[in-house]
Amino acid sequence: MIYQSTRNNDLKVSSAQAILDGMARDGGLYSPASLSDLEFDWQGLLPLSTQEMAVKILSALLPSFSEEEMAALVRQAYVGKFETDELTPTVSVGEDTVLELFRGPTSAFKDVALSMLPVLMTAARQKCGVTDEILILTATSGDTGKAAMAGFQDVPGTRIVVFYPYGGVSPVQQAQMVTQAGDNVCVSAVRGNFDDAQTGVKRIFAQVEKKGLLQGKGVRLSSANSINIGRLAPQVVYYFRAYANLVRGGRIAVGDPVDFVVPTGNFGDILAGYFAKMMGLPVGRLVCASNANNILTDFLHTGVYDRNRPFYKTTSPSMDILVSSNLERLLFLLSQDAKLVETLMDALSRTGVYRVPASLKAQLDKVFYAASCDDLGTKEAIGQVWRRYGYLMDTHTAVAYDVAQQYKAACPAHAPVVILSTASPYKFPAAVLEALGETADDDEFRAMERLEAVTGVPLPKNLRGLRDRPVRHRDVIGPEDMLTYILDKAGR
Ligand SMILES: *Cc1c(COP(=O)(O)O)cnc(C)c1O
């Protein structure tokens, strides 16, 4: 499979190069040129373990690596790192199935991909004969930063700098990041929201490329955000895991469709579901769940993407995003028209708005359903599910749960529904505690302890004692200083 820029048919690279570069030089994202001609024995995957599935799926999507090489990389990435060998277990909650993606080393679903990306990155560096150090730039809305730092901690030949919105992440997320150990990791707050941080990172890539700012320095940039295809590919695996579990449990027969409800921010997670569908998995509807920042809901309803709107800070901060980067890949894959994507993205950066052609809108309608859930709905969902089923959800999962119920009511002919659960409830303990009718004061760490006492749901090991770990990172900078900050780190 060959990769190309979503904005230019002539910019083509191998999968290893795409991982190494993070994003295309022209500002586009690397995407498979096409997914429709991929021949893949998806049924053969169903009896396999999750790690065996990962080997097959990843070597199909990233053919720079043989199946044998990939098997070694998968082992290196996952063995002993997750709470279960299954990596991403499923549980029944009422008539729905919840796919738990947060059983990894930092209790966020980002762990699934960010355990794999560092080994892919190191292997890609060798494949491409690159001796430069790789400097990973990452903007985070909260969870990516910690998972990326943990993944890259002390990985030879790499260094990582993470930017998060100042005051825009939860206290637990912030504590996880600023206490991260490792000689090659660094994190700074940026005054602004996530979009400011993400735009700043994209701008650094563009300026470094245009002005050759790192030439001869023995350093090159890459990204651990889901703009990197090496982040996206590992996420395809758990759609297969969930499907196989439903078959095993007798809930469906092989070939029956399953609908997936995905709490969505940057559109990476749900795009991985689209990849799974294109690889043959019988994915029925992909349901895009948003919080009050429901730009994707509006887009999927109208075909108009309009970021000229208020930005809300919600109780599901990892989805507080107005520019969903990975949507660009979907637009490219559906239209197969890099020129069109370039035009749309140009309109987005100039005016904040674009409208997709009617034919493209019709294609979206066939696969996607979209709805949103505000903070009040989130809170109600957490309380209701706990009282009814004794299952404790985090705020992001709750958004998806609420949207799943909306979807089922609106589309009675729906297939069995899998809800993707993207974080441990202990990452957002105050909001979860309040949803259970308890009062939480401002101290999120006390809320964590209290939540464990009230529910009896065990606190993940990695979050225990977080408050008492030493703070190692204290930088706060303005968006305009991000480039200088990076050049300074690169110079060391
Ligand atoms: C990142 C994240 C999301 C959104 O995933 P995208 O791939 O950006 O759409 C949802 N929930 C949580 C907890 C996250 O960390």
Side-chain angles (χ1 to χ4, degrees), residues 398-416:
V399 167
Y401 183 86
D402 178 85
V403 167
Q405 311 317 312
Q406 293 183 44
Y407 166 65
K408 288 189 290 181
C411 305
H414 66 86

Side-chain angles (χ1 to χ4, degrees), residues 111-368:
D111 287 328
V112 177
L114 282 165
S115 300
M116 196 68 218
L117 183 67
V119 293
L120 286 172
M121 186 73 78
T122 315
R125 185 166 168 258
Q126 277 163 11
K127 274 271 162 210
C128 301
V130 166
T131 51
D132 284 354
E133 181 178 74
I134 314 290
L135 177 56
I136 311 286
L137 288 196
T138 297
T140 183
S141 58
D143 285 343
T144 297
K146 174 64 182 183
M149 286 194 285
F152 280 98
Q153 177 186 354
D154 296 325
V155 172
T158 69
R159 211 170 337 164
I160 176 162
V161 178
V162 170
F163 294 112
Y164 68 93
Y166 188 54
V169 302
S170 84
V172 174
Q173 290 176 319
Q174 178 162 333
Q176 281 187 299
M177 289 190 279
V178 299
T179 58
Q180 174 67 45
D183 287 340
N184 64 337
V185 307
C186 163
V187 57
S188 173
V190 175
R191 286 183 213 95
N193 60 34
F194 170 72
D195 289 313
D196 298 320
Q198 177 164 257
T199 307
V201 163
K202 286 185 183 167
R203 199 174 296 133
I204 293 171
F205 272 96
Q207 292 196 334
V208 163
E209 171 65 27
K210 199 163 112 198
K211 301 182 186 156
L213 294 175
L214 289 179
Q215 241 149 44
K217 292 217 160 84
V219 182
R220 60 161 71 198
L221 298 182
S222 189
S223 169
N225 281 111
S226 52
I227 55 176
N228 193 316
I229 194 70
R231 258 291 293 278
L232 204 70
Q235 299 185 26
V236 176
V237 178
Y238 47 70
Y239 286 89
F240 285 81
R241 174 76 275 140
Y243 191 90
N245 285 5
L246 287 178
V247 171
R248 272 188 202 172
R251 292 285 302 273
I252 54 165
V254 175
D256 290 349
V258 169
D259 295 333
F260 289 90
V261 185
V262 189
T264 301
N266 228 348
F267 212 77
D269 201 1
I270 195 166
L271 185 67
Y274 181 72
F275 274 48
K277 185 178 174 70
M278 295 306 286
M279 292 176 87
L281 191 73
V283 174
R285 278 299 181 87
L286 287 165
V287 179
C288 177
S290 298
N291 64 24
N293 295 298
N294 56 0
I295 186 166
L296 286 167
T297 316
D298 291 347
F299 169 68
L300 289 166
H301 289 173
T302 63
V304 178
Y305 196 93
D306 184 356
R307 65 158 300 183
N308 302 312
R309 58 174 67 214
F311 175 89
Y312 300 107
K313 279 192 183 182
T314 72
T315 54
S316 43
S318 300
M319 295 155 68
D320 290 347
I321 291 178
L322 293 181
V323 182
S324 295
S325 299
N326 273 293
L327 188 57
E328 179 170 348
R329 283 196 175 102
L330 180 66
L331 299 177
F332 170 75
L333 284 166
L334 287 174
S335 70
Q336 292 286 302
D337 186 345
K339 203 85 224 136
L340 171 70
V341 174
E342 190 190 10
T343 311
L344 297 178
M345 293 305 127
D346 184 51
L348 181 65
S349 73
R350 277 185 301 107
T351 66
V353 191
Y354 64 80
R355 174 193 290 273
V356 299
S359 55
L360 187 49
K361 170 71 168 57
Q363 285 177 292
L364 288 168
D365 289 345
K366 273 197 221 142
V367 183
F368 293 90

